[in-house]
Amino acid sequence: MPKINLLLFTLLLSCGIHAQSAVDPLQQQMQLTLDETIRLAKLQSLSSFRSKNMYLASYWDFRSYKASQLPGLRLNTTPVNYDRSVRQLIDPETGENKFVSNEAVSSQLGLSVNQNVTFTGGQLSLTSDVKRLQNIGSEDISYTSVPISIRLSQPLTGYNRFKWESKLKPLEYEQAKKTFLSDMEALSEQAVRVFFNSVGAEIDLKIAETNLANADTLFNIGKGRFQIGTVTQDELLDLELSYLNSKIAKTKAQVRLKQAQNILNSFLGFDKNLVITPLIPNEIPELKVNADQALELAKENNPDVLALEARMINANKNVAQTKATSGLSADLSANIGINKQSDTYKDLYNSPFGDDRGLGVSLNAPIIDWGTRRGEIQMAKSNRKVTEAEVKQALIDFEQDVIMQILEFNLQEEQVNISAKADTVAQLGYNVTKQRFMIDKVDVIRLNAARNSLDQSRRAYINSLSEFWRGYYTIRQITLYDFENNESLIKSLDYLLEQ
């Protein structure tokens, strides 16, 4: 795990060096591509920090579970125990009962090796202990020891907690790993939205500035033509109104751009005074995703599917636990070993030794419960049936959602190409219409219509790019698979863990 942190630190440092090289220390400006924005979001955003720590919590929880499967060595000791009391004893000579004052100091030291038995639900222990007793007011000191003893605690008809943990804990950890990767891809999709939100705001400002410049030019031309009678007064008023509206639009666009830049800076963890210029990714990969392949990958890798599986295991566990705790329960305890009692410590571990053994069975069974046990079991079974139905429906909905996501994504590439072509055509159309207006061949209405078409086409192109990349990372989030490079995203996390 330390090497994971080292690798993340190295990536962050390299990204920070790149960022510093792109920053002008005087103007505090930086250009970022979409890939760089996503990488920074994964390294230093608040969402990334939260996801990493949630994953680490699951990692250490799983480590604790694995450790509980191994033998554990424990020390238990009572260094000093002082006792002064009055006890009832039988005089060995007369056989009479009498009260005797007793004052003693005792000590105890023990070691035990404990091992949980997953298959049976019991616990096997290897113990060793020694005790010392000294009566106050006399020099009598006695010792007793159990050099070795093997103990077994085993429920005979009970709930096997270890068996269910062995099913759930590895599944929950696998779910945590895949949830972390899924969160990273969801973060990528969020980075795309924030990135293109800033791009769109910048495009809107450029459009507003261009429209204002054009409106100013056309208004001045209109005033000149009005003087010679080639433009009517209502057309001149339309040009003036367009000019005033363009000024308002520019002011609003400036505010929206500042807001979008602040959101981007906050998302990436930068100072609000840094001006980030997003570089539009005009090229997209030629990619078509096979729906059947994506569905199989989603069933195999998606953490939501594992969560549904865990729900079913928990439902079955609740039924088993209810049956075990509401009916007859029997527990077996047994031990076998050797012991020794001596007045001197040096003889405490010398043979001969005595036997130290025991066997016990405890039973607990309800006699009259007025149907409580039956009701609890039936309720647990009913809850399991509800869970089965909900899980089945959730899997159907999940499969349908995956198919729809794939179908929509496979259309995005064509949408981007069409939008790019439409943007080019609209630009050419506006240039022609503007030139014809300059020579008084078209009226203001047609010029405004051409300008509106140009603005809409430009925004549509940016939106189509945003939709493509959002769809791309949504597919990666669902399947945990990189279709562009044909490799599983899980391998990257496994590599980090192996390091």
Side-chain angles (χ1 to χ4, degrees), residues 26-238:
L26 297 179
Q27 298 181 351
Q28 285 295 296
Q29 295 182 350
M30 176 169 59
Q31 293 182 334
L32 279 182
T33 64
L34 179 60
D35 288 341
E36 290 171 337
T37 301
I38 292 173
R39 185 167 64 252
L40 284 170
K42 289 182 178 180
L43 288 173
Q44 61 188 52
S45 68
L46 178 60
S47 298
S48 174
F49 176 79
R50 184 185 301 112
S51 297
K52 289 171 186 174
N53 281 276
M54 289 178 64
Y55 165 71
L56 288 176
S58 299
Y59 170 81
W60 287 112
D61 179 65
F62 184 69
R63 280 282 299 269
S64 298
Y65 161 73
K66 295 294 288 184
S68 70
Q69 302 301 298
L70 302 175
L73 177 63
R74 299 187 65 86
L75 169 69
N76 59 86
T77 180
T78 305
V80 177
N81 181 48
Y82 171 74
D83 177 61
R84 187 180 187 280
S85 60
V86 176
R87 300 179 183 179
Q88 183 179 358
L89 297 176
I90 299 177
D91 191 325
E93 296 180 358
T94 63
E96 296 179 353
N97 289 322
K98 59 180 179 180
F99 291 102
V100 178
S101 176
N102 179 68
E103 187 176 10
V105 175
S106 61
S107 302
Q108 178 268 338
L109 175 66
L111 287 174
S112 64
V113 178
N114 304 312
Q115 173 65 62
N116 295 328
V117 184
T118 302
F119 179 72
T120 64
Q123 186 180 68
L124 191 63
S125 303
L126 182 65
T127 65
S128 177
D129 64 67
V130 59
K131 296 179 181 177
R132 178 184 182 275
L133 177 64
Q134 180 179 3
N135 291 315
I136 303 297
S138 71
E139 298 181 357
D140 293 339
I141 299 176
S142 60
Y143 298 89
T144 181
S145 70
V146 179
I148 185 169
S149 178
I150 300 175
R151 302 177 184 274
L152 174 64
S153 298
Q154 175 62 54
L156 298 178
T157 57
Y159 169 68
N160 187 347
R161 175 173 62 92
F162 304 134
K163 183 185 76 172
W164 291 106
E165 284 184 351
S166 68
K167 293 182 178 181
L168 280 171
K169 288 297 184 179
L171 183 64
E172 290 173 351
Y173 178 55
E174 190 67 20
Q175 181 186 350
K177 289 199 297 184
K178 293 179 178 180
T179 298
F180 172 70
L181 291 172
S182 180
D183 288 345
M184 289 297 99
E185 297 308 310
L187 185 61
S188 298
E189 190 272 339
Q190 185 181 359
V192 170
R193 283 192 286 111
V194 175
F195 179 88
F196 277 99
N197 181 48
S198 182
V199 170
E202 191 172 323
I203 293 295
D204 287 343
L205 179 58
K206 291 180 179 178
I207 290 175
E209 291 173 344
T210 302
N211 289 342
L212 178 59
N214 291 336
D216 182 53
T217 300
L218 296 176
F219 180 46
N220 289 327
I221 294 175
K223 286 191 290 186
R225 290 182 179 177
F226 178 74
Q227 297 296 328
I228 61 177
T230 57
V231 170
T232 63
Q233 185 175 10
D234 59 334
E235 290 178 331
L236 180 63
L237 292 174
D238 284 340

Side-chain angles (χ1 to χ4, degrees), residues 13 104 158 165 177 245 254 311 313 338 340 360 363 384 400 407 447 454 458 469 491:
L13 180 61
E165 284 184 351
K177 289 199 297 184
N245 288 335
Q254 288 174 331
R311 282 189 63 187
I313 293 177
I338 56 176
K340 182 68 178 287
L363 299 174
R384 181 173 61 183
Q400 292 177 347
L407 294 178
L447 178 64
L454 174 61
R458 188 59 178 166
W469 287 110
K491 292 181 179 179

Side-chain angles (χ1 to χ4, degrees), residues 253-385:
Q254 288 174 331
V255 174
R256 285 196 297 269
L257 177 59
K258 185 62 177 177
Q259 291 174 339
Q261 289 176 336
N262 288 339
I263 292 174
L264 180 59
N265 285 18
S266 176
F267 178 68
L268 296 180
F270 287 124
D271 186 84
K272 64 179 181 179
N273 295 321
L274 177 65
V275 178
I276 299 176
T277 302
L279 302 178
I280 302 175
N282 290 312
E283 295 184 0
I284 60 174
E286 295 182 3
L287 182 62
K288 296 293 183 183
V289 177
N290 183 277
D292 293 334
Q293 179 193 9
L295 182 58
E296 290 301 317
L297 288 169
K299 289 180 179 179
E300 180 182 350
N301 297 332
N302 195 279
D304 292 340
V305 176
L306 292 179
L308 295 176
E309 184 179 348
R311 282 189 63 187
M312 281 307 309
I313 293 177
N314 275 309
N316 290 323
K317 182 195 74 171
N318 290 336
V319 173
Q321 187 174 10
T322 302
K323 288 181 178 180
T325 56
S326 60
L328 171 67
S329 64
D331 296 291
L332 169 68
S333 61
N335 71 283
I336 183 171
I338 56 176
N339 60 26
K340 182 68 178 287
Q341 182 178 357
S342 174
D343 293 333
T344 60
Y345 183 80
K346 64 180 181 178
D347 295 330
L348 196 58
Y349 289 93
N350 294 330
S351 60
F353 294 98
D355 292 334
D356 184 81
R357 57 178 177 262
L359 178 66
V361 176
S362 62
L363 299 174
N364 187 347
I367 304 300
I368 299 176
D369 64 0
W370 309 107
T372 301
R373 175 177 181 268
R374 182 182 177 185
E376 291 176 347
I377 294 175
Q378 290 301 321
M379 184 172 61
K381 289 182 177 180
S382 297
N383 289 335
R384 181 173 61 183
K385 290 181 179 180

